[in-house]
Amino acid sequence: MTLPADVKLQLEQAVLAGKEFHKLYYEKFDKRRNLLNKLYMDSATMVWNGNPLQGSEAILKFLDQLPTSDHTIDTLDCQPIPAVVTQGQTSLMVIVGGRVKFEGTKETFSFTENFMLTTQGGVWKIASDCFRYQE
Amino acid sequence: IAFDLESPTVLPPVQHSYFGTSTIKKLLVRFVEQYFTVFDSGDRQPFIEIYHDQACFSMTFQNASNSSPFMRKYLSQSRNLLKIRDPNLEMKLFKYTKLSVVAHLNEMPPTQHDTNSFQVDLFMAQGNLISFTLNGIYKEFSSNRSSSHLVAFSRMFLAVMQPPTLCIINDHLTIKEPTRAQLKAAFASPAPTPSPSPVTVPQGSLSP
């Protein structure tokens, strides 16, 4: 099936954004975690292994208290969110699969992380984030 | 006297699930039960009732050194943007519109999900729009159901709440080889005995 031109464009835009985003995000996470605050919306929400966090301040405080990390990313997929359900707001889903090793922990965890990104002031921001180990 | 540069080494405990409010929890628990009853029934056509006209679906297979040939067959269907070099394939593996998504789900092999393994995380709720993930285990059967293989999965949905159900817009499936702990715990609890209270599922969903 051929995709309609507008959907194709949205999809291409989503793919470009997702590819750039995942590199930035995990690089900052592992090396300069304090800079992640620029990627989250003020009102962002996150669930980390079932622990809910409300607002970028709470998220950053939580992430900052995690041990030093080393992420390896294995899979990346992106889906645009149809504008009809977001009141025209350009938004997309980024789905990441990878492995993470934290300092002080023997185990390497396989994980999936899902992000909802939305545009704010001409740049992509994380509106929601969900992280879960495979246990 | 030392410097205060010690970095944390303790990880926060993992919580089982997060459902947000009790209202959303009620809706999600019911939805998940019904959704996977249909998914495992052998006929996924009833999903036509609950997917949005502009619904989309794609899947990725998280390959690893321990992946079995059984799982590796999914490499060709995996929309892994880090691996795909052909833009046409990238488009082809993106299923768009209700008809195309439901047709694709219907073509996927027969499954049985271990609902006891499910962990649900509600990670976005804005107005009537919600997004949540499901992590767990299912059994994939060969087409004649003579053999099966355990698969670990992570599913993500973005949906509009339309009580008592949901209208699904984005649907993503990640699959991978189960860990040893997952294999050990899979289907450990006995299957529920048929309960006298009827389970409400969309009509026709239980036909063979």
Side-chain angles (χ1 to χ4, degrees):
Chain A
M1 194 197 76
T2 328
L3 295 170
D6 58 327
V7 177
K8 201 174 163 212
L9 196 71
Q10 279 175 26
L11 191 58
E12 284 166 351
Q13 187 187 32
V15 168
L16 282 180
K19 282 182 176 170
E20 196 182 331
F21 168 76
H22 93 280
K23 267 192 233 159
L24 266 176
Y25 185 86
Y26 293 103
E27 189 190 291
K28 297 267 180 292
F29 201 113
D30 289 344
K31 298 203 176 87
R32 303 193 63 187
R33 212 176 284 166
N34 58 319
L35 292 183
L36 284 178
N37 68 339
K38 293 191 172 177
L39 295 178
Y40 285 93
M41 279 172 77
D42 291 346
S43 61
T45 53
M46 180 179 192
V47 178
W48 190 91
N49 277 318
N51 296 279
L53 301 154
Q54 190 78 243
S56 62
E57 211 171 302
I59 293 171
L60 263 297
K61 197 176 157 207
F62 180 90
L63 295 182
D64 200 44
Q65 282 168 4
L66 296 178
T68 305
S69 56
D70 185 11
H71 287 85
T72 308
I73 306 308
D74 298 315
T75 60
L76 170 76
D77 197 358
C78 304
Q79 294 183 353
I81 302 174
V84 62
V85 296
T86 59
Q87 278 96 44
Q89 178 83 16
T90 308
S91 308
L92 63 102
M93 285 293 183
V94 181
I95 303 101
V96 178
R99 288 158 288 151
V100 61
K101 172 97 174 66
F102 288 106
E103 194 176 297
T105 312
K106 276 189 203 146
E107 210 174 330
T108 297
F109 295 100
S110 175
F111 70 90
T112 45
E113 189 160 15
N114 304 274
F115 300 92
M116 181 180 169
L117 301 187
T118 192
T119 47
Q120 192 185 52
V123 293
W124 290 106
K125 293 268 185 185
I126 304 168
S128 310
D129 177 356
C130 188
F131 176 92
R132 178 68 78 175
Y133 296 152
Q134 179 196 10
E135 288 185 302
Chain B
I1 301 168
F3 294 96
D4 185 19
L5 276 176
E6 214 166 295
S7 57
T9 52
V10 180
L11 286 163
V14 172
Q15 305 297 330
H16 186 270
S17 286
Y18 177 69
F19 284 101
T21 65
S22 58
T23 315
I24 295 180
K25 179 175 179 172
K26 215 173 137 191
L27 188 66
L28 281 187
V29 168
R30 189 187 144 102
F31 172 80
V32 167
E33 185 186 309
Q34 294 185 352
Y35 185 90
F36 289 99
T37 302
V38 174
F39 203 95
D40 293 345
S41 72
D43 175 16
R44 301 181 182 129
Q45 202 55 39
F47 283 152
I48 208 81
E49 302 292 327
I50 56 157
Y51 277 83
H52 192 272
D53 285 341
Q54 295 180 44
C56 42
F57 173 87
S58 57
M59 67 162 290
T60 44
F61 161 51
Q62 199 178 332
N63 194 12
S65 51
N66 69 341
S67 299
S68 59
F70 180 92
M71 293 298 282
R72 279 173 202 258
K73 73 178 187 229
Y74 280 107
L75 277 171
S76 62
Q77 292 176 44
S78 175
R79 192 167 184 269
N80 182 0
L81 301 173
L82 302 178
K83 290 278 194 286
I84 297 177
R85 293 285 169 264
D86 173 8
N88 290 324
L89 181 63
E90 199 179 284
M91 294 281 170
K92 201 183 137 219
L93 295 176
F94 177 75
K95 306 297 170 193
Y96 174 72
T97 74
K98 168 161 60 183
L99 287 177
S100 158
V101 169
V102 175
H104 184 77
L105 295 177
N106 224 354
E107 280 163 17
M108 286 169 67
T111 51
Q112 186 191 350
H113 286 74
D114 178 9
T115 47
N116 287 317
S117 72
F118 285 8
Q119 291 168 307
V120 182
D121 291 315
L122 176 88
F123 69 102
M124 194 276 292
Q126 248 172 43
N128 62 354
L129 203 58
I130 57 169
S131 195
F132 59 100
T133 59
L134 269 160
N135 283 266
I137 286 276
Y138 65 80
K139 216 183 257 179
E140 179 182 317
F141 297 98
S142 57
S143 49
N144 61 0
R145 289 193 173 246
S146 61
S147 62
S148 69
H149 192 94
L150 286 171
V151 177
F153 77 98
S154 175
R155 193 92 181 252
M156 183 217 69
F157 292 109
L158 178 96
V160 177
M161 290 192 277
Q162 288 176 348
T165 186
L166 299 176
C167 175
I168 303 169
I169 298 149
N170 291 77
D171 180 355
H172 190 274
L173 171 69
T174 304
I175 55 168
K176 45 189 152 179
E177 201 70 57
T179 60
R180 256 186 228 146
Q182 280 179 317
L183 289 174
K184 205 174 157 209
F187 296 92
S189 313
T193 44
S195 87
S197 59
V199 181
T200 343
V201 288
Q203 211 155 23
S205 63
L206 291 174
S207 54

